[in-house]
Amino acid sequence: STQSTWGVPQDPADTTDMWRMLFFDRLQFPWCGVVADGATAVATFGSFGALDGYFRGVTAVACARDGPHVVAADMDNHRIQVLGRDGAFVCKFGTFGAARGQFSRPHGLCLNSAGQIVVCDTNNSRIQIFVCDGTFLRTFGSHGAADGQLSHPWQLCVDPFDNIVVADREITAFKFSTAKAGSC
């Protein structure tokens, strides 16, 4: 198959939730779907475009173990979208730009232990942190190769202690942030 499906697996030991994987296909359509048993799609959602619930390049998805939402980085619309687990549009935030709360091609995202959204604002060379409703909390990073600087942050994760680990596309190294992602 020529499909390019990237997955974000959930905890396979958690049998209380039918969700096992969120996936998206950037070559076919920027849609999201849900896989229940590793082979059968039980729901699909999203279409190509700029309307609410539509996408132009999903590059990352995340969902909280105990939360009702799916969060998606909508790269070419320069925004983050929050959907219900049924795919219903909840909210969106971000526009193109370099001000706080704006994005230039957000690529990676994840949720910290407080359920806050941590986003790689790739072309602005920074990380931004938001509440699930899109309320801006803080940002860190600036363009460069020195400590505390980023060139093109591509993906990230939050460790069990809420430290943020960032993979930068241009520096080709992992950057470890001692800045906590938790409550700000």
Side-chain angles (χ1 to χ4, degrees):
S1 170
T2 61
Q3 286 187 329
S4 172
T5 303
W6 303 344
V8 180
Q10 299 299 305
D11 180 2
D14 181 5
T15 59
T16 62
D17 189 349
M18 73 171 200
W19 287 53
R20 292 292 172 253
M21 185 181 298
L22 298 175
F23 62 93
F24 51 96
D25 186 342
R26 290 187 60 209
L27 292 180
Q28 300 293 325
F29 302 100
W31 59 275
C32 294
V34 181
V35 175
D37 62 7
T40 305
V42 296
T44 60
F45 46 91
S47 294
F48 183 80
L51 298 174
D52 295 349
Y54 287 58
F55 303 93
R56 289 182 51 223
V58 175
T59 54
V61 292
C63 65
R65 175 183 305 272
D66 57 350
H69 300 117
V70 175
V71 182
D74 188 1
M75 182 176 68
D76 291 332
N77 281 325
H78 307 283
R79 66 185 180 191
I80 304 301
Q81 292 202 63
V82 180
L83 307 172
R85 287 198 174 198
D86 61 357
F89 175 80
V90 174
C91 72
K92 66 182 177 196
F93 57 92
T95 58
F96 178 74
R100 290 180 172 196
Q102 291 184 314
F103 301 104
S104 180
R105 299 185 65 113
H107 197 275
L109 64 75
C110 65
L111 302 177
N112 65 18
S113 65
Q116 297 164 347
I117 304 168
V118 185
V119 182
C120 288
D121 187 4
T122 301
N123 288 353
N124 285 325
S125 303
R126 65 185 177 188
I127 305 300
Q128 295 195 71
I129 304 172
F130 301 86
V131 176
C132 198
D133 67 3
T135 301
F136 174 84
L137 292 175
R138 68 182 180 144
T139 187
F140 66 89
S142 62
H143 187 77
D147 285 346
Q149 292 183 315
L150 302 162
S151 179
H152 285 88
W154 200 247
Q155 293 295 336
L156 70 154
C157 65
V158 176
D159 75 11
F161 304 102
D162 273 338
N163 292 301
I164 302 169
V165 181
V166 180
D168 191 296
R169 184 181 74 185
E170 300 297 320
I171 297 174
T172 62
F174 289 93
K175 295 245 177 174
F176 182 80
S177 170
T178 57
K180 296 290 185 179
S183 299
C184 300

